[in-house]
Amino acid sequence: MKNISILGCTGSIGRQTLAVVEALAGQFWCGAGCGVEHRRTCWQIERHRPEVVVGGYGGDCGPACRAVAREGDCSFAGDSSWAEGMLAVGTHGAAEIVVSAAVGVGGTGSYLRGDQAGKGDCASNKEVLVAAGELVMAAVEKSGKELLPVDSEHNAVHQCLRGGTHGEVLRIVLTASGGPFRKTPLKNLANVTTEQALAHPNWRMGNRITIDSATMMNKGFEVIEARWLFGMKPDQIEVVIHPQSTIHSMVEYVDGSVLAQLGPTDMRMPIRYALTYPARVATTEVNPGWGNFGGCILRRLRRGGFRVCGWRPRQ
């Protein structure tokens, strides 16, 4: 049984990671978690019985969380700072895998210290790689471990890269649904509402990443993330619009072959892949449903729109 730590255990990816852990009963155990929502933290302590939990930032942890922690023989540190909590969970001595699912750059120290301790990392937090990609990847290389991406696009690229060598890759193609404003005239974007921006057509995600997806800022971050994760030059990374979100990403090889990873819009799939790599573990939870894979449309980015993704004419 592998012991995992989760940074951001009460967020969307953290909760789905715990769902995958439950589905893989007997293979994984969440020994440490770090979250911000104390009610969910209490529930997770009762259900998963970790050794260490740090959380409750921005709210009153109160006696409830501490009482639940005591009953579960769990060390609960609700008074720690966010950075201290992330570091404590990310470097937990018993953890073999650290799942970084927290928002922001607060987990940078946990990445670096965890890598130095030889822990395997599963990353859904792209901000750390955007802000400190060179440092993080240097630490990963020094540790001899591999940083496995949980982001659906980068997870797809990782799977496609198993079909060839690094030197055989011509380019990486990240797909983007285009979000709720894919067809919105550019002149109307100044008047869109928060509610419209939060209505993503394909994915169910946390509010912050949903907003970033609506503006395509998230895709801009993903381009930088891909550059560091896979050691590619910026001009080897391209973004295309794919409204169906069936093709999660592609890799084009020098011989003209293109490998694509397809699947439903369910984050449990990339999480499961990252946790169980290099094996592929059978599941009955997620079914591709071939009838749902209709026409796959791929389009170039609109010129003048969503410039954060770096529109440029293809050579």
Side-chain angles (χ1 to χ4, degrees):
M1 181 182 293
K2 289 185 178 180
N3 193 323
I4 70 172
S5 288
I6 303 176
L7 306 176
C9 58
T10 58
S12 176
I13 296 298
R15 297 196 306 272
Q16 291 182 82
T17 299
L18 287 170
V20 171
V21 167
E22 286 191 330
L24 295 169
Q27 298 185 49
F28 295 92
W29 174 54
C30 179
C34 182
V36 297
E37 299 180 43
H38 64 273
R39 289 188 179 86
R40 280 186 175 143
T41 300
C42 286
W43 182 85
Q44 289 175 350
I45 292 171
E46 287 185 317
R47 190 173 184 89
H48 297 281
R49 302 291 181 178
E51 289 182 353
V52 178
V53 168
V54 187
Y57 314 100
D60 178 21
C61 296
C65 277
R66 297 187 184 280
V68 171
R70 283 195 299 271
E71 291 175 7
D73 292 324
C74 170
S75 173
F76 181 79
D79 298 325
S80 299
S81 71
W82 176 243
E84 290 172 343
M86 295 274 276
L87 193 59
V89 171
T91 58
H92 185 319
E96 299 169 79
I97 299 173
V98 178
V99 178
S100 182
V103 174
V105 297
T108 305
S110 301
Y111 265 95
L112 297 175
R113 291 281 293 276
D115 289 329
Q116 289 167 7
K119 300 183 185 302
D121 277 329
C122 298
S124 74
N125 176 311
K126 57 181 65 67
E127 292 92 338
V128 170
L129 284 169
V130 169
E134 187 173 8
L135 293 174
V136 170
M137 297 313 296
V140 169
E141 184 177 1
K142 187 175 181 180
S143 74
K145 298 285 186 177
E146 185 172 4
L147 182 58
L148 294 165
V150 170
D151 257 351
S152 61
E153 294 85 355
H154 301 81
N155 187 275
V157 170
H158 189 277
Q159 296 188 52
C160 293
L161 287 174
R162 295 170 78 172
T165 66
H166 185 276
E168 293 170 339
V169 175
L170 182 63
R171 66 171 54 87
I172 287 172
V173 182
L174 302 177
T175 57
S177 71
F181 307 130
R182 176 172 53 86
K183 295 182 178 180
T184 303
L186 298 179
K187 63 181 180 181
N188 295 342
L189 289 177
N191 300 316
V192 300
T193 66
T194 302
E195 290 72 23
Q196 289 174 314
L198 287 169
H200 197 283
N202 299 346
W203 291 94
R204 294 175 59 194
M205 305 175 289
N207 286 350
R208 202 242 32 186
I209 193 171
T210 303
I211 293 294
D212 280 355
S213 294
T215 63
M216 293 284 279
M217 176 61 76
N218 187 59
K219 199 59 57 177
F221 286 159
E222 288 177 359
V223 170
I224 300 172
E225 182 183 9
R227 180 261 180 272
W228 291 115
L229 268 175
F230 307 118
M232 296 293 166
K233 299 175 183 177
D235 61 4
Q236 287 182 287
I237 304 167
E238 188 171 346
V239 176
V240 299
I241 297 297
H242 172 49
Q244 295 80 17
S245 294
T246 299
I247 302 172
H248 296 303
S249 278
M250 300 173 282
V251 173
E252 182 179 351
Y253 286 91
V254 292
D255 64 354
S257 299
V258 178
L259 299 187
Q261 192 267 336
L262 287 72
T265 52
D266 190 322
M267 284 304 299
R268 291 175 299 174
M269 289 189 68
I271 291 170
R272 176 186 290 264
Y273 173 87
L275 289 179
T276 61
Y277 176 83
R280 289 190 183 271
V281 179
T283 178
T284 57
E285 290 185 293
V286 182
N287 189 326
W290 289 106
N292 299 324
F293 291 174
C296 289
I297 299 171
L298 296 169
R299 295 195 181 103
R300 297 292 313 282
L301 292 171
R302 282 189 293 177
R303 186 169 187 173
F306 301 116
R307 287 171 289 177
V308 70
C309 292
W311 185 93
R312 59 185 178 274
R314 182 168 178 173
Q315 301 299 317

